[in-house]
Amino acid sequence: MLELINAYENHLIKVKMASNNTVASYMRDIRQFSAWIHGHESVSVLEATQLNIGNYLDYLLQQGKSNATVSRTLASLKNFYAYAVSTGFLEQSPITAEIHVERGEKKLPNILTGREVELLLAQPSSSDPKGLRDKAMLELMYATGMRVTELIELDVDDVNLEQGTVKCAGAKKTRTIPLYPAALQALGAYIDNVRAGMLADPGEQALFVNVGGVRMSRQGFWKILKHYQASAHI
C-alpha cells in the first residue's frame, strides 16, 4: 500500500507536473482516507468498495467538513484509484458515477478597494528588518499578482534589480514580470540592506526568509498578512 501511495505521489510530481499545493492536498486526502478505512472498516484502501467510500464521505460531512472539502476528497480518491487501475494494482475503480457530492453555492471572493490596498501596503514599518521584508513581500504581490506559493518559492537570483524584473516559475511556465517603482524600491531596500542579516545560512537561496532565517512558509506569510489586515482595520 505504501509503495502504491509513494508511486502515485511521484506520478503527480514528475508526470502530471502538479503544483506543490495540489500534490500536498491530494496526498493528505489519500492518507487520511487510508488511516480512516483501516481503523473503521477493517479493510485496506485497495480492498475498499463503493460502500466503504460512501461511508467515509458521510463521516466527513458528520465531522462538519464543507461540501467543497468532501467533493475535493472524492476527486482526490477518484484520481488515485484511476492511477491504481492504470498501473495494474486494481482491475477497476470502486468509485462510480453514482458517488457524488453536492458542491454547494460557490462564494465570490471579497476584493479589496483601492483605499484598502493603500492601507495594507502602508502597515509594515520601514525602520526594522522585518518591516522592510514584509513591505517588499506585499508590494511584490500587489505588483505582480503572484500566488502565495509563487512568492515564497522565489530565490534571490530570480530578482534583477537593474532591469526591474522578477522571474516567476508557475506550475507550467516561467514568466518574467516588470515591477513598478514602489515595488522595486521596497524589494531593493530589503535585498540590499537587511536580507543578508536575516539568513541562518549565508548560502540560503530563498528570497524571503522567516525569523529563523529559512524560507518563508505559506502559513508564516498568512499570519503576517492577517496581522497587517487587523492593524489596517480591513
Side-chain angles (χ1 to χ4, degrees):
M1 192 64 249
L2 181 60
E3 177 186 353
L4 172 60
I5 292 177
N6 290 338
Y8 180 60
E9 183 173 15
N10 189 60
H11 173 76
L12 289 175
I13 296 170
K14 296 186 177 180
V15 179
K16 291 295 186 179
M17 302 294 288
S19 68
N20 291 340
N21 285 344
T22 297
V23 174
S25 176
Y26 273 37
M27 299 314 299
R28 181 174 59 250
D29 289 341
I30 293 164
R31 290 185 172 114
Q32 288 177 347
F33 172 65
S34 178
W36 179 87
I37 198 170
H38 178 74
H40 290 76
E41 305 282 290
S42 300
V43 297
S44 72
V45 171
L46 290 178
E47 296 169 334
T49 65
Q50 179 171 295
L51 178 61
N52 297 139
I53 294 170
N55 289 343
Y56 179 62
L57 299 181
D58 289 340
Y59 165 79
L60 293 178
L61 290 170
Q62 291 168 7
Q63 294 299 305
K65 302 299 182 182
S66 68
N67 282 15
T69 296
V70 178
S71 179
R72 188 208 65 216
T73 299
L74 177 58
S76 298
L77 294 176
K78 184 176 182 180
N79 289 329
F80 171 73
Y81 279 118
Y83 173 79
V85 171
S86 69
T87 52
F89 281 91
L90 281 176
E91 290 187 4
Q92 65 180 32
S93 171
I95 297 180
T96 70
E98 296 177 8
I99 304 180
H100 69 280
V101 179
E102 297 295 335
R103 283 183 171 271
E105 183 180 355
K106 187 174 183 180
K107 298 180 180 179
L108 294 175
N110 293 321
I111 307 300
L112 295 181
T113 65
R115 177 57 179 159
E116 287 173 332
V117 171
E118 292 176 359
L119 282 171
L120 187 64
L121 295 178
Q123 295 310 304
S125 169
S126 298
S127 61
D128 64 84
K130 183 177 180 295
L132 288 172
R133 178 204 63 192
D134 297 348
K135 176 75 170 178
M137 287 195 298
L138 294 180
E139 288 282 4
L140 187 55
M141 285 201 77
Y142 182 57
T144 62
M146 286 184 186
R147 297 177 175 86
V148 174
T149 298
E150 294 173 334
L151 178 80
I152 63 175
E153 288 182 351
L154 288 174
D155 289 335
V156 67
D157 291 340
D158 291 326
V159 177
N160 190 320
L161 294 176
E162 292 185 1
Q163 293 183 6
T165 61
V166 60
K167 184 173 62 176
C168 175
K172 296 183 179 180
K173 66 179 181 178
T174 298
R175 59 195 190 277
T176 299
I177 308 172
L179 303 176
Y180 61 72
L184 188 60
Q185 181 179 1
L187 197 53
Y190 165 67
I191 293 175
D192 293 339
N193 300 325
V194 303
R195 178 182 174 274
M198 298 181 72
L199 301 180
D201 178 357
E204 174 64 64
Q205 294 300 302
L207 175 59
F208 295 114
V209 297
N210 59 25
V211 292
V214 297
R215 188 178 297 274
M216 177 74 65
S217 67
R218 283 174 52 86
Q219 293 80 6
F221 179 81
W222 176 245
K223 290 180 181 178
I224 290 170
L225 188 62
K226 293 292 286 184
H227 167 73
Y228 291 126
Q229 174 196 359
S231 63
H233 302 291
I234 298 174

